[in-house]
């Protein structure tokens, strides 16, 4: 099962973001992923970063499986409590 990990989507030493969004390494890596894991801190700060929003939008548009992890556990975990 292929999982998207943003940090590994591009070469950190020779950044090439592509000429358009659909040629960006983030889009291409997401296209090949079967699962996307969104890891949120207690404030959900990732949702304030434009690349994270782009990755989430791409995930939903391409109908990829999305799992969300929080400091309290996985969002689908019935035992998750605040």
């Amino acid at each position: 099962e292929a999982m998207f990990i943003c940090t590994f989507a591009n070469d950190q030493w020779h950044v090439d973001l592509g000429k358009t969004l659909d040629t960006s390494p983030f889009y291409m890596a997401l296209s090949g992923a079967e699962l996307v894991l969104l890891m949120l801190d207690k404030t959900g700060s990732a949702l304030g970063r434009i690349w994270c929003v782009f990755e989430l939008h791409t995930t939903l548009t391409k109908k990829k499986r999305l799992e969300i992890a929080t400091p309290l556990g996985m969002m689908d975990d019935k035992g998750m409590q605040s």
Side-chain angles (χ1 to χ4, degrees):
E1 186 170 49
M3 179 185 287
F4 175 74
I5 302 173
C6 177
T7 303
F8 302 123
N10 61 41
D11 182 340
Q12 300 294 310
W13 301 105
H14 302 96
V15 177
D16 177 9
L17 298 178
K19 298 210 183 294
T20 62
L21 288 176
D22 62 349
T23 62
S24 73
F26 305 103
Y27 183 88
M28 293 188 301
L30 277 167
S31 295
E34 297 171 27
L35 166 68
V36 175
L37 174 63
L38 173 60
M39 298 182 71
L40 295 175
D41 60 14
K42 64 182 177 179
T43 64
S45 64
L47 299 175
R49 294 192 295 269
I50 194 66
W51 275 110
C52 293
V53 173
F54 168 72
E55 291 162 0
L56 185 56
H57 170 74
T58 302
T59 298
L60 298 174
T61 301
K62 292 186 150 294
K63 297 180 175 26
K64 301 292 183 175
R65 192 170 100 215
L66 173 65
E67 293 190 10
I68 302 173
T70 74
L72 300 175
M74 296 300 290
M75 289 292 291
D76 63 351
D77 184 1
K78 291 181 174 66
M80 188 173 117
Q81 300 178 13
S82 60

